[in-house]
Structure formats: structure tokens, C-alpha cells
Amino acid sequence: MAAEQPEGQAEVHQGHHHPPDQAAGDERTLGGYMAVHKRPAAFEGVDGHSYSADILTDTTGDRHAPWGAYLIFVRWGIGEPEVQGHLETGLLITGVSEAVVRHQLGAMQLGTVKATLDGLIRAGRSV
């Protein structure tokens, strides 16, 4: 049971952490990590900021490969958990369905995801 807050003060909720479900996937991959831990993977970039990684999809306009998937990295402020910006790759995978490209990009090893983030930071591709 939560302690009551003095009038006028917002109630503070602590983050909820679920126990890992090792049967949900290979936590060495981006998609597997998200399935096992039920949260996005997080990395410290070469710039010292914390980043969360996720997979996004979009249509391509190509009738042979109508779906594409790419990575987005949300940059968090130092100290306060505020979004400070983001970085994103171009389409990394294209294919016949959203589920297929999401699954294929989800198979990317976490080391490769981190290297991709650091490459974007070094290239100055902040949005």
C-alpha cells in the first residue's frame, strides 16, 4: 500500500520491473532482449548519454518489398529522465510484411545495435 502524499503533491510511482522470461527469446538480440525483459534495450552512447533502442516500421512504396524496418534511439537527459532527442537509421531491412521486417531486424545482435548507435552519434545524425 502506497503512503499518502501531502495535499498538493503528486504521488510518485516507482518503475515496475518484471522478472526476465528467458523462454521468450534470445536476449543477445534486440527483439529477444525486449521480449525477455519486457522493455526496450538501453545503451550508453559514445557521447555519454543514455539511449533506448526500438524497432520502427514504415511502408516503402515498393510493391515487391512494401515494408521496411529501422532503428530509433531515444536520447535521455543526464540526471532527469527527459527525452532530449533521438537518432534513427534509414531503412535497414525491407520485405513483404511488417511482421517479417520487424522480426528480421529484431534478430540484430545487441553489439551491432550499439555499434550502429555509436556510428550515428559520431556522424552527428541527431534529430
Side-chain angles (χ1 to χ4, degrees):
M1 186 148 115
E4 290 191 16
Q5 298 293 318
E7 181 136 336
Q9 288 188 356
E11 186 175 335
V12 177
H13 294 277
Q14 299 299 320
H16 297 278
H17 294 281
H18 302 280
D21 178 3
Q22 300 298 330
D26 179 355
E27 67 181 338
R28 297 171 298 174
T29 66
L30 182 57
Y33 182 94
M34 292 188 296
V36 167
H37 295 282
K38 298 176 183 62
R39 66 177 181 265
F43 304 93
E44 181 177 331
V46 293
D47 60 359
H49 284 274
S50 295
Y51 290 83
S52 298
D54 203 356
I55 300 168
L56 294 181
T57 60
D58 202 355
T59 55
T60 66
D62 178 350
R63 66 185 182 102
H64 298 291
W67 284 96
Y70 60 101
L71 297 174
I72 184 167
F73 299 96
V74 175
R75 184 177 62 240
W76 297 96
I78 297 174
E80 292 295 321
E82 294 179 347
V83 173
Q84 298 292 310
H86 75 278
L87 301 165
E88 56 187 64
T89 67
L91 293 178
L92 298 173
I93 296 191
T94 59
V96 297
S97 75
E98 182 178 15
V100 165
V101 297
R102 182 176 293 279
H103 177 76
Q104 288 176 337
L105 192 52
M108 182 182 280
Q109 295 288 311
L110 290 177
T112 304
V113 175
K114 169 74 164 97
T116 301
L117 167 63
D118 290 340
L120 291 172
I121 294 167
R122 288 184 180 110
R125 293 194 46 191
S126 182
V127 178

